[in-house]
Amino acid sequence: MSLKDRILNLLGLAMRARKLVTGEELVINEVRRGKVRLVILSEDASANTQKNIMNKCQSYHVKCLQFGSRHELGWAIGKDERVIIGVLDSGFAKKLKDMIHESDEGENL
């Protein structure tokens, strides 16, 4: 099993544990409330979405990483396409951060 598959599987596990929020509005609201520990943005997100999310994450000191396509992120959590995922649990966030940094696909924003 590749590292990318392991990351996607961990996202699915976090979703089943109800430790994720998805969708731009929900993630931004949870970032404002201080609940989100990590934001994962798909690599094919629009420039406007990237700018909006990066600015919000910087102002609230939340780590934001780019990983996978919207299809892969949606598939991993058992939903339709997802462009943005907010990780609420610090344990899942730390493990995902480490794994994404380990893979060459994770782009730090």
Side-chain angles (χ1 to χ4, degrees):
M1 181 182 289
S2 72
L3 183 56
K4 186 173 192 171
D5 290 337
R6 290 180 31 222
I7 293 168
L8 294 172
N9 285 341
L10 188 59
L11 280 172
L13 182 64
M15 183 66 181
R16 289 188 299 278
R18 298 177 189 250
K19 300 297 182 185
L20 298 182
V21 288
T22 63
E24 188 172 350
E25 260 187 63
L26 286 173
V27 171
I28 288 174
N29 286 339
E30 293 301 314
V31 166
R32 284 185 185 133
R33 292 177 60 205
K35 301 285 185 187
V36 173
R37 304 289 174 238
L38 171 67
V39 172
I40 298 174
L41 194 60
S42 73
E43 293 168 345
D44 53 358
S46 70
N48 188 37
T49 300
Q50 286 182 11
K51 181 180 177 284
N52 188 16
I53 296 302
M54 287 187 325
N55 289 342
K56 197 58 70 181
C57 287
Q58 286 175 350
S59 61
Y60 287 91
H61 308 290
V62 175
K63 187 79 166 169
C64 183
L65 299 173
Q66 268 191 307
F67 177 79
S69 70
R70 63 181 65 206
H71 300 289
E72 291 170 328
L73 293 179
W75 175 84
I77 63 172
K79 303 280 185 188
D80 291 334
E81 298 176 354
R82 296 292 190 227
V83 175
I84 180 170
I85 295 175
V87 182
L88 303 174
D89 182 76
S90 57
F92 278 120
K94 181 181 181 340
K95 184 66 175 173
L96 284 164
K97 258 188 258 185
D98 293 344
M99 291 172 79
I100 290 172
H101 282 303
E102 192 177 320
S103 77
D104 293 331
E105 298 184 35
E107 184 180 321
N108 198 0
L109 297 178

